[in-house]
Amino acid sequence: MSTKQLQLKVIVLVLLVLGIGSVWYKNQVLGFSLTPEKQETVWTVESKITFDGDNAPAEVVLSMPENRKDMVVMDVRNIAPGYRFNFVNRDGERYGVWKSNGPVQGRQELFLRGTVYRRNGNSGNNVSPVPQEIVVDNESLRKAAVDFVASLDRSGSIRQRAVHLLQALTNPVNQDAVYLLKEAKVFGGKIKLARYLMRKAGLQASSVRGLFLGERSRKQKLKGYIEVADGDKVLLLNPRSAEVEDADKFLVWQYNDKPVLEVIGGSNSSVTFSTLSSKILASRAAVAAGKHSGNFLVDFSIYSLPVSEQNAFKLLLLIPIGALVIVILRNLVGISTSGTFMPILIALVFLHTTLLIGLALFLVVVSVGLILRSYLSHLNLLLVPRISAVLVFVIFIYVAIAVISHKIGLSAGLQITFFPMIIISWTIERMSVLWEEEGPKDVLVQGGGSLLSASLIYLVMQNRYVGHIAYSFPEILLVLLAIIIIIGSYSGYRLTELYRFEPMIKDK
Amino acid sequence: MFTTPSKLRKAGIVGMNWRNVRMIAQYNPRRLYPQVDDKLKTKLLLAKANLSAPELLGVVKTQGNVRELEEFLADCGPFVIKPANGSGGKGILVIAGRDGGKFVKPSGSGIDIAEVRKHASSIISGLYSLGGRSDVAMIEEMVQFSDAFDGFSFQGVPDIRIIVYKGYPVMAMTRLSTRASDGKANLHQGAVGLGIDIGTGRALKAVQNGRPLTHHPDTGKELATFDVPQWNDFVLQASMCYEITTMGYLGVDLVLDKEKGPQILELNARPGLAIQIANDMGLLPRFEVVDAQDGIERTAAERTVFARQQFVA
């Protein structure tokens, strides 16, 4: 017995750890929200490439934004008739490549659209990698840079020092700054100059190009910014204004020094970007991001099914929760029901009809059915013909309810068809046998117990939070299983027994 | 209205979950169920072990057997036809005697052979069995009830239920039908539950609907005078059922025949807990006494002696 008990405990523990662990993982790492209404902002980013065809086959190469921990680019779609499109990897970086099907001439427009989603709880903490630092041959420039850095105030936070450096660089009175800016080309541009100086000043800096995800903006160009590591955060600095910008809304497109766009067989090429923000449900965003990154928990889950099947599972996943309610009501409370899982099926009907209408319809069908069935008792029919006869009665009752309620203008009566006929027939049969064997009191107790259970299950199932958790975290079923196993081996008293055996306690 | 779990535990009361998890699941392996659920199998087991039960006269297994009924019953005494897999006393036809070609029921009304045949045929087709499965009809000798319990029941003759735990009879009771229970012996429908002392076979306490009472509400009989004759035989027979079924938690139902003494009517693998209410006593302390005997080999007779010494009021 003790080994059995141990086995049980181990199973329960494993189920709990697996269930709660994967729910935690999906919530914390994959961004699945625990509440149904939580929304996330996503941005649709569209890049538009234009160039003039040179009457030759054209090849267009656009560098792709990086997928980083905090920003996920998903659902990339290409709109460019007459071109073949695919992604290629070069030196570990991703490019989109269009190849024309033949010679092109005149103005060409290519579009690439993607959805960008910022994962919650993962913001920042990785500075873009830094390419090889520039080596400056010019002695006087090198000296000016050293002097410039030496003149800076070395106290204060990293943020203050970085901002201070950029302010000093744009200060027209600073001789070194003016000289360096004039010769910025040697460094590969002003932004790389700023990066060079920051490194010399001991800051961990890198230059990136990207765009801000505004609510609605058109014809943006990629702009250069400087990232500076500040502890476990990343500061995004605008070298033009010497200000710190909101890194949460910045999409890093590129962090190397290579060109963004290359066009072979065309001229006057340019690329512009427009962004549009929208709100979607957090769980949808998480599913899309998970699919995009090929996460196992998302990829091999019900989310990989077609939408119609997903909806079927939305309902199916609620049934174990109904079963848990039944287990609790029967084994912990001690309510008796007619047919073990009949209340779950009735609760599923209530989901269609709403509670009060469902209860009213159920009572009408079962009571009329019981009256008709009582006549069958005199005939002493065998079981299967008896049930079949009840089934025919049930159809008659359905038709009668539907027609009568339709005639008097109660559309609610038409919902009678949601009730599963076989279950209703069996319920009537069981109640009828119970009436004959035990009397009407037991019928009321069991019938009442069944309806009470069905109503409770309905209330649980139609709860938005329960539905959301069951669908977003099917792993919760493992936890459910653990609870059911625990209750299954519970040998304590039921709530109703505290009442049943109470007379035996009183006189002691 | 409600009491607390700790008070129930203190009173040693066994709850449903305890019964199912700690008693039935542990001591009554499922493979043993058919021998008590199928009354024909039970009957054969009892006969093999020489335990007394109403004698089996014949079995109607096929519709062909039904046609042979008339010839078979020609020289039978009073008999009972019942389904082997029936429940709740359904489908039992009692024939107390003959009146020419008629079969006379205890109520005095007579029926002819065609109706007896129809009844047997209905049993075979599964009219009274659980789930409508086809069944067999058993024909057994009618019990000549002793008049020792006259006046204790509104209708019918009370039977004695003894709970046997690991072969030790631990608690006993009888259920007396009342007008309120519609002649049925179900406690929760208003029948009187009467606890019987394992040691003496005399009435202990009586309850109806959870309240104690001293006299039968319909017959007015003083319940304290209930005294089971040949009590040792009752307890011994019940105790011997452990050896033949090997079930550790068993309910044995017996009746008293005028001439043949205690007769085992049926065995139950899931005996209910109402017996605690009838005895106004929890089962747990008695289980513990028996558990303390683990490892001691005793015959049924020795167990009976032990139980009658231990479980006396």
Side-chain angles (χ1 to χ4, degrees), chain A residues 503-504 507, chain B residues 151-153 172-178 187 190-197 202-227 274-281 313:
Chain A
M504 297 175 62
D507 44 89
Chain B
F152 283 103
S153 199
M173 73 155 170
T174 183
R175 287 158 295 192
L176 312 172
S177 69
T178 62
L187 291 196
V192 173
L194 188 73
I196 300 173
D197 192 299
R202 293 203 193 97
L204 277 173
K205 298 247 166 82
V207 283
Q208 188 187 22
N209 296 322
R211 279 184 298 276
L213 76 170
T214 55
H215 292 79
H216 193 281
D218 304 310
T219 66
K221 189 101 175 174
E222 194 188 351
L223 296 170
T225 62
F226 191 92
D227 186 356
I275 197 166
Q276 301 178 105
I277 300 174
N279 279 268
D280 196 21
M281 196 185 297

Side-chain angles (χ1 to χ4, degrees), chain A residues 1 4-5 330-332 380-383 386 433 435-439 441-442 487-505 507-508, chain B residues 1-5 7-9 11-18 20-22 26 90 122 125-128 131-132 184 186 188-189 210 273-274 276-277 280-282:
Chain A
M1 177 184 148
K4 243 183 209 166
Q5 292 283 83
R330 286 179 76 104
N331 286 38
L332 297 188
N380 264 358
L381 298 181
L382 291 176
L383 184 78
R386 202 166 63 216
V433 170
W435 193 305
E436 282 167 31
E437 287 179 8
E438 314 279 322
K441 199 181 133 205
D442 284 69
I487 296 178
S489 61
Y490 166 76
S491 62
Y493 298 107
R494 298 175 181 176
L495 193 61
T496 49
E497 284 172 346
L498 300 184
Y499 170 77
R500 181 187 178 193
F501 294 121
E502 186 260 357
M504 297 175 62
I505 301 296
D507 44 89
K508 274 171 192 166
Chain B
M1 259 313 251
F2 285 92
T3 180
T4 60
K7 279 183 186 161
L8 286 184
R9 181 59 46 87
I13 289 164
V14 172
M16 271 305 221
N17 291 333
W18 184 282
N20 294 342
V21 174
R22 301 286 181 93
Q26 206 173 336
K90 271 195 307 172
S122 299
S125 347
L127 184 60
Y128 305 105
K184 289 179 181 133
N186 263 338
H188 76 280
Q189 286 176 331
L273 301 171
Q276 301 178 105
I277 300 174
D280 196 21
M281 196 185 297

Side-chain angles (χ1 to χ4, degrees), chain A residues 171-216:
Chain A
N171 184 354
V173 206
N174 188 321
Q175 288 301 314
D176 290 323
V178 173
Y179 174 55
L180 286 164
L181 278 177
K182 211 178 99 201
E183 301 294 329
K185 267 195 192 126
V186 178
F187 297 87
K190 290 174 185 169
I191 291 171
K192 285 183 190 133
L193 165 66
R195 185 185 77 193
Y196 177 85
L197 293 172
M198 287 208 179
R199 292 255 176 96
K200 288 274 177 247
L203 295 167
Q204 198 191 328
S206 65
S207 60
V208 293
R209 289 208 283 174
L211 36 111
F212 274 96
L213 301 164
E215 272 180 27
R216 182 183 287 269

Side-chain angles (χ1 to χ4, degrees), chain A residues 103-121:
Chain A
V104 291
Q105 182 146 37
R107 197 78 181 144
Q108 299 290 315
E109 287 188 339
L110 309 174
F111 294 92
L112 189 69
R113 192 176 290 160
T115 308
V116 178
Y117 157 63
R118 167 170 290 283
R119 249 183 219 159
N120 251 30

Side-chain angles (χ1 to χ4, degrees), chain B:
Chain B
M1 259 313 251
F2 285 92
T3 180
T4 60
S6 64
K7 279 183 186 161
L8 286 184
R9 181 59 46 87
K10 220 174 181 178
I13 289 164
V14 172
M16 271 305 221
N17 291 333
W18 184 282
R19 183 198 78 166
N20 294 342
V21 174
R22 301 286 181 93
M23 295 292 142
I24 295 180
Q26 206 173 336
Y27 298 118
N28 296 352
R30 182 141 301 261
R31 67 188 157 80
L32 299 177
Y33 276 37
Q35 60 187 16
V36 298
D37 285 348
D38 183 336
K39 294 189 184 74
L40 183 59
K41 285 200 174 116
T42 312
K43 180 122 328 208
L44 298 175
L45 268 177
L46 292 173
K48 219 163 112 189
N50 271 328
L51 288 177
S52 40
E55 197 189 328
L56 183 67
L57 302 174
V59 183
V60 188
K61 285 185 173 161
T62 62
Q63 299 291 351
N65 292 151
V66 173
R67 283 191 289 277
E68 298 156 18
L69 259 182
E70 186 167 15
E71 195 187 333
F72 180 81
L73 293 173
D75 45 355
C76 269
F79 65 91
V80 176
I81 298 187
K82 59 181 183 185
N85 286 294
S87 69
K90 271 195 307 172
I92 299 180
L93 175 69
V94 184
I95 299 299
R98 299 292 176 81
D99 182 13
K102 292 264 183 192
F103 293 84
V104 184
K105 297 206 270 191
S107 60
S109 63
I111 57 172
D112 54 27
I113 184 69
E115 266 189 80
V116 177
R117 273 206 217 107
K118 189 175 164 238
H119 187 80
S121 177
S122 299
I123 290 175
I124 295 173
S125 347
L127 184 60
Y128 305 105
S129 72
L130 285 170
R133 279 188 303 259
S134 57
D135 200 356
V136 298
M138 293 161 54
I139 305 172
E140 60 181 39
E141 213 175 33
M142 192 184 87
V143 174
Q144 302 290 332
F145 287 106
S146 149
D147 51 14
F149 306 136
D150 281 0
F152 283 103
S153 199
F154 172 65
Q155 267 175 12
V157 185
D159 62 356
I160 312 286
R161 153 69 56 93
I162 299 176
I163 300 281
V164 180
Y165 175 60
K166 292 183 182 171
Y168 291 84
V170 289
M171 210 174 261
M173 73 155 170
T174 183
R175 287 158 295 192
L176 312 172
S177 69
T178 62
R179 193 186 296 277
S181 76
D182 200 19
K184 289 179 181 133
N186 263 338
L187 291 196
H188 76 280
Q189 286 176 331
V192 173
L194 188 73
I196 300 173
D197 192 299
I198 288 284
T200 64
R202 293 203 193 97
L204 277 173
K205 298 247 166 82
V207 283
Q208 188 187 22
N209 296 322
R211 279 184 298 276
L213 76 170
T214 55
H215 292 79
H216 193 281
D218 304 310
T219 66
K221 189 101 175 174
E222 194 188 351
L223 296 170
T225 62
F226 191 92
D227 186 356
V228 184
Q230 306 175 44
W231 178 241
N232 197 60
D233 276 353
F234 272 87
V235 192
L236 181 62
Q237 297 258 2
S239 172
M240 286 162 81
C241 289
Y242 174 62
E243 267 82 15
I244 61 168
T245 60
T246 70
M247 288 176 137
Y249 182 63
L250 198 63
V252 183
D253 291 344
L254 304 108
V255 288
L256 184 58
D257 188 284
K258 231 182 269 181
E259 284 149 22
K260 300 180 177 171
Q263 304 278 302
I264 297 173
L265 272 194
E266 58 184 86
L267 305 179
N268 196 322
R270 317 163 190 81
L273 301 171
I275 197 166
Q276 301 178 105
I277 300 174
N279 279 268
D280 196 21
M281 196 185 297
L283 276 165
L284 271 187
R286 301 206 157 173
F287 289 160
E288 278 160 14
V289 170
V290 173
D291 283 336
Q293 309 305 309
D294 278 355
I296 304 173
E297 289 278 328
R298 283 199 176 104
T299 64
E302 287 165 349
R303 290 196 303 268
T304 307
V305 172
F306 177 83
R308 290 192 66 184
Q309 281 168 357
Q310 288 286 322
F311 307 135
V312 69

